[in-house]
Amino acid sequence: MKHPRIFLMLMLAAALIVLACPVQADSGTQAVLYQSTFTADPHWTTNNPSTDYWDPSAEMYHFGIQPSTGNYAYSPSINYNSGSFTLEYDVLLDRVDPGATFRLGFTGDDMDFNKGPNIITAFTTSKDGQIMVLHSVTQSAIQNEVTSAISSYGGQTVTYQLNTTYHVAVNYNNDTGIITETVTNKQTGQQLWSYFTTTQDPLKNMNRIYLGNVGDYGTMGLFAEGWIDNVRLTATIPSASITPTTQPTTPLPTYVITPSTKVTTHVVFTPISTTTKKSPSSGMFAIVALGIIGACTVAKTMNKKR
């Protein structure tokens, strides 16, 4: 190295640039507000314990939803006021009769999918086949719904299969009002369907995870039956508001699922990115300029000495 002092000056300038980069603080704290692997009794409340119950041998929660009864089950109270969140769960559907619907979501006291606030994911059997649904209602009664049928979201109709375990994740971004549902085959990891909808005002004051058909009274004898597992709610909220509800964590049960041979068209949509990168501050450019000027001054001084 012919000019070690110049090199040292440039290294110092680079170090100052790194130190001057702004550090972005989180607007809230990431926290698990609720989770259960159903290895222990989750103590969910239900109005129909003959069909909605925890099975300790399967280490999952069984549901049998009948539109004609308006039956439901819901988690212990969750302390959530507002903010972004992600609700995840696994579902294995054994039976979904035409006209019956499995629903699970994050909601308020009413637990009625027609009344806000709520975000609900659903699997139903309709004239379009076995389709998936993303549904929301705000506190001001603004309702949005999109399904995996071509008539709803514009893409090719995407259907689910019975006796297949799916991982469902619904993400709510409080800053943009975007709600995204993603359904993935649990066994293969292949994404089945992903789409989004938006709210016109923020969702807030929801307090329970619920499954059922409150507000949906239909024909007698129809059922949506199956199992849920690995329910988890993660939120970004002020630290002072966090009161997590958890269940003991133990190794998950192992079970084998025979994959379906039916050909299904998979349509993948990428949710709108909401991350905005900040530009470097003016102070950074000032530090770079000082480093370069200093390096040039040292070089001139050494040339004069020669």
Side-chain angles (χ1 to χ4, degrees):
M1 180 72 66
K2 292 184 178 180
H3 303 293
R5 291 187 180 180
I6 295 177
F7 177 76
L8 289 175
M9 289 295 294
L10 292 175
M11 289 295 293
L12 178 60
L16 290 173
I17 291 171
V18 172
L19 292 175
C21 290
V23 178
Q24 299 181 21
D26 292 336
S27 59
T29 301
Q30 281 284 9
V32 176
L33 298 190
Y34 180 85
Q35 69 174 357
S36 178
T37 60
F38 298 101
T39 54
D41 189 346
H43 300 291
W44 283 32
T45 301
T46 179
N47 65 344
N48 195 343
S50 64
T51 60
D52 300 330
Y53 56 85
W54 170 60
D55 188 327
S57 60
E59 295 186 336
M60 293 188 287
Y61 196 90
H62 181 271
F63 60 85
I65 300 171
Q66 303 178 68
S68 59
T69 64
N71 63 304
Y72 58 78
Y74 63 91
S75 70
S77 180
I78 297 171
N79 186 9
Y80 166 88
N81 294 317
S82 62
S84 302
F85 65 82
T86 299
L87 172 63
E88 302 174 84
Y89 66 94
D90 296 337
V91 61
L92 173 64
L93 295 155
D94 297 329
R95 171 184 177 184
V96 183
D97 294 334
T101 302
F102 161 77
R103 293 187 179 95
L104 186 146
F106 193 29
T107 183
D109 293 337
D110 287 327
M111 297 185 297
D112 186 332
F113 74 97
N114 290 310
K115 298 178 181 179
N118 65 51
I119 290 181
I120 295 173
T121 59
F123 291 72
T124 190
T125 301
S126 69
K127 62 181 179 63
D128 296 300
Q130 295 173 331
I131 59 173
M132 294 149 284
V133 183
L134 173 60
H135 173 97
S136 67
V137 184
T138 66
Q139 287 179 303
S140 57
I142 298 174
Q143 187 169 144
N144 289 284
E145 183 172 289
V146 64
T147 77
S148 62
I150 187 173
S151 59
S152 177
Y153 82 109
Q156 294 181 342
T157 297
V158 182
T159 59
Y160 65 89
Q161 304 299 317
L162 298 179
N163 303 310
T164 300
T165 301
Y166 294 104
H167 180 75
V168 181
V170 57
N171 178 76
Y172 167 62
N173 187 310
N174 187 69
D175 295 329
T176 63
I178 294 175
I179 307 168
T180 306
E181 177 182 359
T182 302
V183 180
T184 305
N185 185 303
K186 178 80 172 181
Q187 186 176 27
T188 65
Q190 185 174 19
Q191 184 172 293
L192 179 64
W193 183 66
S194 183
Y195 206 70
F196 68 93
T197 185
T198 58
T199 62
Q200 295 183 26
D201 50 45
L203 291 165
K204 55 182 65 177
N205 299 326
M206 296 180 286
N207 60 10
R208 66 192 64 185
I209 297 168
Y210 111 109
L211 64 86
N213 274 45
V214 177
D216 183 17
Y217 294 89
T219 306
M220 293 288 293
L222 300 180
F223 285 89
E225 291 185 292
W227 306 82
I228 61 169
D229 199 4
N230 303 317
V231 177
R232 176 184 172 99
L233 177 68
T234 306
T236 303
I237 59 176
S239 302
S241 301
I242 298 172
T243 306
T245 304
T246 61
Q247 296 291 330
T249 301
T250 59
L252 298 179
T254 301
Y255 47 89
V256 178
I257 303 169
T258 304
S260 171
T261 57
K262 182 176 179 180
V263 177
T264 302
T265 301
H266 301 279
V267 180
V268 179
F269 286 80
T270 302
I272 298 173
S273 175
T274 58
T275 303
T276 302
K277 295 184 178 180
K278 292 187 176 180
S279 300
S281 63
S282 59
M284 181 184 297
F285 293 108
I287 293 171
V288 173
L290 287 173
I292 295 173
I293 292 170
C296 292
T297 301
V298 171
K300 290 180 178 180
T301 302
M302 293 182 65
N303 289 332
K304 289 179 178 181
K305 288 182 177 181
R306 288 195 177 94

